[in-house]
Amino acid sequence: MCKTLAHILAQNRMKKRLMTQLKAIIFDVDGTLAETERDGHRVAFNRAFSNAGLDWYWDEELYAQLLAVTGGKERIRFYLEKFRTDNMLADEMDALIKQLHQAKTRYYTEILQSKAIPLRPGVERLLDEAQQAGIKLAIATTTTPANVDALLIGSLGADALERFETIAAGDVVPAKKPAADIFHYCLEKLNLPAKACLAVEDSVNGLKAARGAGIETIVTINSYTQHEDFSGALSVFDHLGEPNQACTCIAGAAVSNSYIRVDDLKELHEQAYR
Ligand code: XBP
Ligand code: MG
């Protein structure tokens, strides 16, 4: 091969490598950063219902079905349409949903402020490691911004929000996960191509949303999502793990450490583009 051609090929390989280098990790919130659904959101919804004088109650089993719909307001509407026969005008229903959801957000943030829900294993460690490695942090979630603030500040301290390059949350986009909108929005704010990012999700709705935006994704399951179909994920783990708490790879590419480190994420991400 002539020298110039070899040089051009090497340059192209280098360019490709630079374009696909991991520059940001985009974290989902509910179920991924913390197990917030069963003892957080669900409890807050029920408190809002009972304080409004309603006899609605979402037990764990029913809530598992309702989780198919992302977003609290959307979830209440789904419950009204699918599980109840109340006769309500459209305007009345809209107003009720809005009122219940505002109360629910208040109760939910109170639960988080009481520090009842810890971050999942490995989350804080990985956030620290990523920042030390110069990798940007971002959030892409369907939950209300006040909920994200309460979780992050409550778990990581007053300056937690500044650690994230962008926090994309809630109604900032019209369509919630599994639509890819929130990830497109996040990429735009990060000013990065999908190939430079990796998403961390816990649910099939989150995985579909990230993949819909062309972002490679790893999944850490939880009790509500463990039976979902995660095809399309780079890897599926039980959690991120800690030095004294090994994680298990359930599907896809495994990592060389007993817990997931930033270098493992870089390796997984690079493998996807090889
Ligand atoms: C999970 C959700 C959220 C919460 C409810 O979001 O579906 O909607 O259950 O939050 P993700 P709101 O996994 O994307 O973080 O009531 O504030 O909508
Ligand atoms: Mg989630």
Side-chain angles (χ1 to χ4, degrees):
M1 199 189 308
C2 77
K3 211 175 171 188
T4 345
L5 181 57
H7 183 70
I8 292 169
L9 288 174
Q11 266 190 333
N12 284 347
R13 270 198 299 275
M14 175 74 84
K15 245 190 243 168
K16 192 178 163 201
R17 205 168 301 147
L18 279 177
M19 272 178 63
T20 58
Q21 215 168 48
L22 182 61
K23 298 204 177 67
I25 304 175
I26 306 175
F27 289 88
D28 167 52
V29 173
D30 294 305
T32 300
L33 294 185
E35 302 244 19
T36 47
E37 294 293 1
R38 191 192 60 199
D39 302 328
H41 289 292
R42 188 184 67 89
V43 172
F45 280 116
N46 285 330
R47 208 165 285 170
F49 302 153
S50 98
N51 283 357
L54 299 164
D55 65 351
W56 312 351
Y57 181 75
W58 292 357
D59 63 22
E60 288 178 35
E61 215 176 300
L62 172 59
Y63 197 64
Q65 295 178 57
L66 299 174
L67 275 175
V69 174
T70 65
K73 295 187 284 293
E74 294 81 352
R75 194 168 297 145
I76 299 171
R77 185 178 299 280
F78 175 68
Y79 171 70
L80 273 166
E81 289 170 352
K82 254 268 161 61
F83 293 86
R84 297 204 57 96
T85 51
D86 313 58
N87 259 332
M88 235 184 275
L89 296 171
D91 282 1
E92 281 172 356
M93 195 190 278
D94 291 351
L96 178 63
I97 291 172
K98 193 171 166 202
Q99 177 211 322
L100 288 171
H101 191 256
Q102 277 170 354
K104 177 257 165 179
T105 301
R106 259 198 327 274
Y107 301 132
Y108 178 69
T109 51
E110 278 168 22
I111 293 171
L112 291 181
Q113 277 149 16
S114 74
K115 301 199 192 303
I117 303 180
L119 295 179
R120 295 189 68 189
V123 168
E124 185 169 358
R125 174 188 54 76
L126 198 61
L127 293 174
D128 291 344
E129 275 187 27
Q131 277 195 299
Q132 277 157 21
I135 292 173
K136 290 176 178 169
L137 303 175
I139 295 282
T141 174
T142 68
T143 206
T144 301
N147 300 346
V148 185
D149 295 0
L151 179 68
L152 293 178
I153 293 170
S155 329
L156 299 169
D159 62 350
L161 305 185
E162 285 127 55
R163 299 178 62 178
F164 292 83
E165 190 78 10
T166 182
I167 296 182
D171 296 325
V172 73
V173 287
K176 293 183 176 162
K177 299 174 188 177
D181 302 29
I182 197 73
F183 282 99
H184 283 303
Y185 177 90
C186 192
L187 290 176
E188 202 183 303
K189 292 282 166 196
L190 282 169
N191 196 21
L192 285 173
K195 282 181 178 175
C197 301
L198 183 76
V200 185
E201 275 287 352
D202 72 305
S203 69
V204 69
N205 281 329
L207 172 65
K208 280 184 187 162
R211 297 298 298 127
I215 304 168
E216 293 294 344
T217 305
I218 69 154
V219 171
T220 51
I221 56 162
N222 57 57
S223 54
Y224 272 128
T225 65
Q226 60 188 336
H227 300 300
E228 292 181 344
D229 175 8
F230 292 118
S231 33
L234 279 181
S235 306
V236 182
F237 300 96
D238 52 353
H239 51 76
L240 296 170
E242 292 285 18
N244 61 354
Q245 189 179 2
C247 63
T248 303
C249 179
I250 294 159
V255 294
S256 41
N257 294 301
S258 63
Y259 59 100
I260 298 163
R261 308 201 56 179
V262 162
D263 284 346
D264 297 311
L265 294 186
K266 281 186 182 169
E267 175 64 23
L268 286 174
H269 182 259
E270 200 189 312
Q271 268 176 32
Y273 292 104
R274 229 172 252 160

